Amino acid sequence: MMSRRSVLRVAGAAGAAGIGAAAVGAGAVPALAAPAKASAAFAHPGMLHTQADFDRMAAKVKAGVGLWKEGYAKLAANPRGASTWKPNPLATVIRGADGDNVTTLAFDIHAAYQNALRWKVTGDTAHADAARDILNAWSAKMTTLDGSGDRFIAAGIQGYQFANAAEIMRDYDGFDLARFKKMMLNIFYPMSSDFLAKHNGAYDSNYWSSWDLLSVACVLAVGILCDDQAKVDEAVTYFKSGKGMGSVKNAIPYILPGGLGQLVEVGRDQGHALLSVGLLGTICEMAWNQGIDLYGYDDNRVLKGAEYAAKWNLGHDVPFTSWTWNYGAPGVWSGSQTLTKASESGRGGVRPIWESLYNHYVNRRGLDAPYVSAMAAKVRPEGGGGDYGTGGGLDHLGFGTLAFTRPKAIVSATTPTPSASTSSTTSSSDTGAATATATPTADASGGVQPQGGRGEDLAATGAGGIAAAAATGVLAIAGGFIALRRRGARDSS
């Protein structure tokens, strides 16, 4: 049997010749063998969307069919998807410090992605030209990404999104793919890779799962864009067995009754919990389109975590296993806090993250996902870039109702057979053992504590004070991150 990566490679080539829908129909992927080894070629386009996906979207929208029609209407209504959008490239992008200007980059990335998507769906080259011009403008000018510890957030989120827009446009006339790759390899990838290795000088347990996951998403996306298997392996290995909180068994450490996996960020607040869910879906979909089944890894652990977060945010009770977060930086400060229940903060929030998970687990795989299904129905049709505010609303590319809706076509899958560079450690147990970083102690100050890296740019993603950070302000970003700032720093959007 052909590996799924081989099938995807063949389908991608056929799609480029205009027959992608025939090679691999809307969801009708052949039964899967283990994904190919590290030497296999990459499928392009092959991040969040394949050519078969674009063929399906285009055919359904042209026919005016149900959810695809509604999803495209949502996309067409977003001002960043207009072909008249003009880029505003910057040499230096800053997040979390004086001169914070990351929103300028974020809006241009969403404009590039939305125009690229509209081109693929409608064939209107005015949108393709707009997307190309945005990407070219930034790769010609941007040299630096800086700021507080939040600079790593920008590297991860804007990095994976930038790469996805470029992947759609990679073969379009006039797009300088080589220069764009150079920008990604010189600016975005090194920061995300360094964060996963060093965690900004903090303890590995210090940063919540979303920080690691956005970095993994960037590393994976850059690896695919640049046909760099080592970077793809780096991302997959970290997802399976990384030392930080974003490794999937640390992000979802407890498997509870009822097919639920306790997502650590649910104990913190729901904005970050949903951010983590969305990033998990993004990582899994990009890997899937390269023949790597992270969705199914460790007995569908991601599904269990998504079901848990969805159930709580739909207003239902969930079980909760107490665990302790140890935070700080060696030689700088340290502390710990025990979380004993799911947080009410931000409960019931809306993000455009559910369609990819629903359509994979329910429509591709034929699995039961009642709470994910209910959340997808609640948010449908999903919007994107800025439709949900300028905090968390820019964390996800969105428009999943258009992009991921697919007829049911049950696909069997096997756990990936990892190459030597993507091998993972065995799970301690299906009940989900907490990592060695967790030992309970009470926190007298109350609230979820900030996270720290080096010196004055200690990054924080929680609410509540800490003596070691007394000289730093705490900024809450609606639906997004909460970050420590030096006094006098300008608030980021």
Side-chain angles (χ1 to χ4, degrees):
M1 181 181 294
M2 295 176 68
S3 72
R4 184 157 59 83
R5 175 168 283 184
S6 297
V7 171
L8 288 167
R9 190 177 63 217
V10 172
I19 57 171
V24 181
V29 182
L32 307 184
K37 299 289 185 177
S39 59
F42 285 79
H44 295 297
M47 285 190 211
L48 285 174
H49 319 298
T50 67
Q51 187 58 44
D53 294 331
F54 292 130
D55 292 341
R56 181 187 64 247
M57 289 181 239
K60 298 293 187 181
V61 170
K62 183 177 181 180
V65 177
L67 293 180
W68 293 275
K69 178 182 178 182
E70 294 176 25
Y72 184 76
K74 193 79 171 179
L75 172 61
N78 192 299
R80 278 156 289 282
S83 62
T84 54
W85 184 276
K86 300 300 180 185
N88 185 21
L90 304 168
T92 299
V93 173
I94 299 170
R95 175 161 178 161
D98 291 338
D100 190 304
N101 57 9
V102 71
T103 303
T104 300
L105 170 62
F107 278 146
D108 272 6
I109 291 173
H110 282 271
Y113 172 76
Q114 290 177 32
N115 272 284
L117 195 55
R118 291 188 69 176
W119 166 55
K120 282 291 190 178
V121 173
T122 68
D124 185 348
T125 57
H127 290 294
D129 290 346
R132 175 199 61 201
D133 293 348
I134 295 167
L135 298 174
N136 282 346
W138 278 91
S139 68
K141 189 165 185 178
M142 185 176 179
T143 60
T144 307
L145 177 56
D146 207 347
S148 70
D150 283 11
R151 66 193 182 277
F152 295 108
I153 300 172
I157 290 178
Q158 274 68 59
Y160 93 76
Q161 293 177 349
F162 234 161
N164 266 276
E167 177 73 359
I168 300 173
M169 301 304 301
R170 64 182 299 128
D171 295 324
Y172 190 69
D173 186 41
F175 173 44
D176 194 337
L177 178 60
R179 189 175 71 199
F180 191 90
K181 286 180 178 179
K182 184 177 180 181
M183 177 184 70
M184 299 305 296
L185 291 169
N186 289 345
I187 300 174
F188 293 89
Y189 165 76
M191 292 180 67
S192 292
S193 180
D194 184 75
F195 182 82
L196 294 174
K198 301 175 183 177
H199 287 113
N200 197 23
Y203 294 119
D204 292 326
S205 62
N206 178 75
Y207 285 90
W208 291 88
S209 62
S210 52
W211 287 74
D212 274 359
L213 290 170
L214 57 87
S215 299
V216 169
C218 178
V219 170
L220 178 59
V222 173
I224 296 169
L225 181 72
C226 298
D227 295 295
D228 190 327
Q229 190 64 47
K231 290 176 174 54
V232 171
D233 290 348
E234 177 186 354
V236 171
T237 298
Y238 199 95
F239 179 92
K240 293 180 177 179
S241 56
K243 56 192 176 180
M245 296 284 282
S247 175
V248 70
K249 294 170 192 173
N250 295 339
I252 309 168
Y254 302 105
I255 304 303
L256 306 171
L260 301 175
Q262 183 173 314
L263 193 75
V264 293
E265 299 250 28
V266 169
R268 174 195 184 191
D269 65 63
Q270 302 318 304
H272 291 91
L274 299 186
L275 171 62
S276 290
V277 171
L279 290 167
L280 285 166
T282 291
I283 292 165
C284 289
E285 186 68 16
M286 291 192 295
W288 177 270
N289 286 331
Q290 293 299 327
I292 305 164
D293 185 11
L294 298 182
Y295 278 118
Y297 180 68
D298 201 32
D299 193 25
N300 298 305
R301 199 175 193 97
V302 167
L303 172 60
K304 294 172 183 177
E307 280 285 282
Y308 183 86
K311 184 175 183 179
W312 177 248
N313 280 280
L314 284 166
H316 304 288
D317 291 335
V318 292
F320 193 92
T321 299
S322 296
W323 67 280
T324 295
W325 169 39
N326 290 331
Y327 48 78
V332 181
W333 57 281
S334 63
S336 61
Q337 180 187 0
T338 299
L339 286 78
T340 60
K341 62 182 180 179
S343 172
E344 293 283 352
S345 177
R347 190 177 183 187
V350 173
R351 288 189 178 221
I353 60 176
W354 299 103
E355 292 282 28
S356 63
L357 293 158
Y358 164 74
N359 277 282
H360 175 79
Y361 286 113
V362 177
N363 285 346
R364 268 197 193 128
R365 297 297 322 285
L367 302 177
D368 188 32
Y371 300 108
V372 167
S373 298
M375 283 296 284
K378 176 182 176 181
V379 180
R380 188 177 293 137
E382 285 182 356
D387 284 339
Y388 305 89
T390 57
L394 296 176
D395 293 341
H396 316 282
L397 289 168
F399 304 106
T401 303
L402 168 66
F404 301 117
T405 297
R406 63 188 68 243
K408 282 198 174 184
I410 308 307
V411 175
S412 62
T414 60
T415 300
T417 302
S419 65
S421 58
T422 58
S423 60
S424 64
T425 57
T426 303
S427 177
S428 52
S429 97
D430 255 351
T431 60
T435 62
T437 61
T439 46
T441 58
D443 172 28
S445 68
V448 180
Q449 292 297 311
Q451 303 174 70
R454 63 170 198 262
E456 66 177 5
D457 83 341
L458 302 181
T461 56
I466 188 164
T472 323
V474 179
L475 168 68
I477 303 172
F481 290 90
I482 296 176
L484 280 176
R485 305 279 185 243
R486 296 189 298 275
R487 291 200 182 275
R490 179 182 169 192
D491 291 357
S492 71
S493 60

